[in-house]
Each structure stands twice: as structure tokens, then as C-alpha cells.
Amino acid sequence: MSGITHHTPDSMLAAYAAGTLPHPFAIVVAAHISMCATCRASLEAHQAVGGLVLEDTQCTALTDGLKSATLAMLDDVVIPDPVFEADGIFPGPLVQALKGRAPQWKKLGMGVRQDIIQADRSGSVRLLYIPPGQAVPDHGHNGLELTLVLQGSFHDETGTFGVGDLEVADETLDHTPIAGGDIPCICLAATDAPLRFHALIPRLLQPLFRI
Amino acid sequence: MPRNRGMLTQELNISRRTSRRHEGFTLSERHIVSKEEQGLSQETQWMIAVRDKRDKAAFAALFDHFAPRLKGFVMRTGTSAAQAEEVVQDVMLTVWRRAETFDPHRAQVSAWIYQITRNRQIDVMRKENRPVPEALKEEPGLEPDAGQIMAVEQEAGLLRKALSTLNCDQRAIIEKAYLGELTHQEISTQTGLPLGTIKSRIRLGLERLRHELKDLSR
Ligand SMILES: [Zn+2]
């Protein structure tokens, strides 16, 4: 995918390699890397540094028999973990997060729909469907929000985001994303805190609607 | 079989598409070199033998090299010795079972094993599989490119040199970051992380990716 201009910040790629990125963000970053050669190459560089840290780690003596036990298992028949490939506009890591199901859109009002894929204490990850030209209700963030465009485009106060672009919005950004004019915009969005919508639903109701 | 694997174990046929210049030294077109001549590390040679020949002796050599380091690495994150050995065994078995995903054009062996290890540690913690990027689909019949494989190894050497020039505090931050002890916010605010030193490694990977992906429409 060429034409991607908004990438994963380096600190997030390092954290992704090390496994410390919160799970909802890790899904979005893995999806972006699946679409973006630049970030894949950067991830590989971080893996190279991680490899050097591993190589420089002092050896610790192994229990007698660990090696022979491991060698004895080489011919065991094992069922391989499933490999998730892209399905249409959905990158492999999103297919994995959906566990193979199709999106189940729930109406959010004004034609905007969402499918909450995961929501727990570490944050949430969801698909957003925004009709052409439609604004997503003005919202700010308690934490960080990552938004990856899978189809169409949107623009907000910070710029225009097309397929493969990743927007990183922190709590200081109070923005109004508007979908581009031609086709519905479909995004994968993750936060590490509940969203706060200003216009659509009073904050008190947010826990009910899980938005 | 995404690549013509057999060739690597005998001799490496330099890509006909380009001549490469790296570290002031040029590999001419159609130049054929043996693996000794172009100086692949032992670990890479072992790993290629495991991948292409299912060579158990080479696997045993990899085990001897990496397993004691892996145990130390896993224990540094607060894991008990017994649990660490379980992770070590899982990781080494993954090295054997997923050997076909090792691509020396893209990573040195330790980088590949590093990611397997961190993925494994996170999977154990979360009790579910981490999201991982889609594997690259390569053109069938793409020949191994010894220049690129060597460049990846040389770049690792340069990175190692760069890391060795860091002072103790900077070095400690690097280790904490890649051992998974810093959040992404902490990584972004720690000034000790010399991200500049990985830039040439990124360029190297990107060059290869552009080459591999040029015919893919996605
Ligand atoms: Zn990117």
C-alpha cells in the first residue's frame, strides 16, 4: 500500500515489539503494519535491537535434561496455530480480533455505525462506519485514540487520512472527523480509555451504551 | 515454498537484478559466493540448515547458543527459573516448527527469536494470541539474495557497535524498553533511546520490502 502518510510513532513500534503496547492498540498497530511497508521495516529494526539485547544477556545454566527433552519433542505432531489473512478491506490482525465473524453494525445515530470488538479495562477496539460527508459526533478523549482507515477517508482539524493512514489523537485533541465524499469511511479505532462524546449522548449514559 | 530454498544451503547466488554496495564493497552481478566466503554468522547458517534441511544437529547447536541466553532473558522480567525454562522450551520448539517463517533477508536470527520470545511471554500472560502483522507473500521462485542477507548481518554488527558506545544509563533504558519494562509513553519521553541509530536498519529493510512488494497490488 503506497500513499500512506500517517504512520505509527516510533515509541509505539518499540513498545509493540516489546509487547507492552496495550492490547487494543496492538491490534491497530499490527493491522497498520500489515498495510504499511515503512512501519514494517521500522518494526524489523526494533526487533533487531531486541535481538541484540537477547544476545548480550548473560547465560543462565539450564536444568539437566531440558535439551534432550526438547530434542525428543521435535517429531511430535502438533496442530499449528491458525494464521489470519486479510479478508477484503480487513487486515489479518482485525480478522483475528473478530475471530472470523462478520461485522455486526450497531446504529450510533446520523448514519454512523459501530461494532465494538473488544472492551475491557485495558481499553476498547471497534469498527466505525461513517456515511460519506458525515461528521462523527464531536468527541474528545480521556486517553489516547488510534484510528486506522480501512476504506474511504476522513479529515479533521489535523489533516486528511486515507486508506492505511493511522491517526494518533491524545486527550488534548478535541476534533471532529468528517468522512470524505465518495464512499462510506470504515475505520478501526482503539482507545485506552472510554470515549467522551459531547453532542450525542450525555456522559452519564455512556456506560450503558459502551461508547 | 515461497523462495528457492535449496540454493542457500549450497551456494548463494547473488541477485541478478542489482549490484549492491555496502560498507564500501561491491558485489558484482552474477557473482556466486560460498557461504564461508561471504561470512554468514554460524547462527544464520544453523538456522538455514534447520529451515531447509530439517537438520537436528544444527537445531541442537542453536539450542546450545540461545537457550541459556533465553533463560536469562526471560528471568530478567521476573519469571521464576522453572517457568522460564517452560518458555525457553516453547520458544525453541517454535524455532523448529515455524522455521519456514525465518527469512534471513529480513532479520538476523536473534531478532526473529526475540520477537517469538516476547510474543510467547505476552501470550502466556494474556492467555490469548497476540495480534501479529500478516506475513509477507513473496513472489514464487524469488532467488536468495546473498548481498541482502549479508547486509542484514552487517547492519546488526553496526547496531551492536552503536549500542556499545552508550553510557550505562542509556544502555539500561534500551534494555528495559526491549525487555518490556517501559510503556510506550515512557519510551517516547526517555531521551536515552538512540532511535537515530536504527535509521539505516530501517532503510535496509525498506529497500528490500519495496523490492518484494513491487508486484503486489495491495
Ligand atoms: Zn506506517
Side-chain angles (χ1 to χ4, degrees), chain A residues 4 6-8 32 36 38-39:
Chain A
I4 297 176
H6 296 88
H7 295 284
T8 316
H32 175 79
C36 178
T38 304
C39 288

Side-chain angles (χ1 to χ4, degrees), chain A residues 1-2 10-12 14-31 33-71 73-78 80-93 96 99 118 120 122 144 192, chain B residues 43 54 56 59-61 63-73 75-76 85-86 88-89 92-93 96-98 106-115 117-119 122-123 125-126 128-137 156-157 159-160 163 171 174-175 177-185 187-188 193 195 197-199 201-203 205-206 209-210 213 217-218:
Chain A
M1 176 61 61
S2 55
D10 224 1
S11 56
M12 284 197 186
Y16 174 75
T20 47
L21 206 56
H23 193 70
F25 292 162
I27 293 170
V28 177
V29 167
I33 293 166
S34 300
M35 304 166 83
C36 178
T38 304
C39 288
R40 188 184 288 269
S42 299
L43 174 66
E44 287 169 353
H46 289 291
Q47 291 167 338
V49 180
L52 294 175
V53 172
L54 167 62
E55 277 180 45
D56 286 349
T57 302
Q58 254 191 341
C59 293
T60 302
L62 303 170
T63 308
D64 285 345
L66 184 67
K67 182 181 175 186
S68 55
T70 307
L71 290 174
M73 292 166 81
L74 294 187
D75 293 324
D76 287 0
V77 177
V78 287
D81 282 341
V83 173
F84 296 92
E85 294 191 357
D87 182 5
I89 61 167
F90 291 175
Q96 178 183 358
K99 300 184 168 77
Q118 286 182 15
D120 60 25
S122 67
L144 208 58
D192 57 0
Chain B
E43 297 96 277
R54 308 307 283 153
K56 289 182 180 171
F59 178 81
F63 189 97
D64 288 338
H65 180 78
F66 279 108
R69 288 175 171 79
L70 277 170
K71 184 177 177 184
F73 182 85
M75 285 179 69
R76 285 179 71 180
E85 290 205 342
E86 277 178 38
V88 170
Q89 186 170 62
M92 292 310 298
L93 285 171
W96 176 258
R97 289 167 185 161
R98 301 296 316 278
R106 312 219 53 81
Q108 84 267 22
V109 181
S110 62
W112 183 66
I113 293 182
Y114 165 78
Q115 192 64 79
T117 307
R118 289 304 299 154
N119 288 354
I122 303 305
D123 288 352
M125 239 154 40
R126 285 191 58 92
E128 77 177 295
N129 288 347
R130 278 193 76 190
V132 292
E134 286 163 32
L136 289 175
K137 294 173 199 72
L159 263 180
R160 181 194 300 282
L163 292 179
R171 174 80 201 188
I174 290 278
E175 291 185 359
Y178 291 94
L179 280 160
E181 289 167 0
L182 297 181
T183 66
H184 66 95
Q185 295 97 332
I187 292 172
S188 71
L193 206 61
L195 293 172
T197 60
I198 67 170
K199 287 291 182 273
R201 178 64 184 76
I202 295 172
R203 265 197 302 279
L206 202 52
L209 270 170
R210 290 213 177 98
L213 297 176
S217 56
R218 187 184 165 109

Side-chain angles (χ1 to χ4, degrees), chain A residues 134-145:
Chain A
Q134 177 63 53
V136 177
D138 188 33
H139 67 283
H141 318 273
N142 289 319
L144 208 58
E145 183 184 55

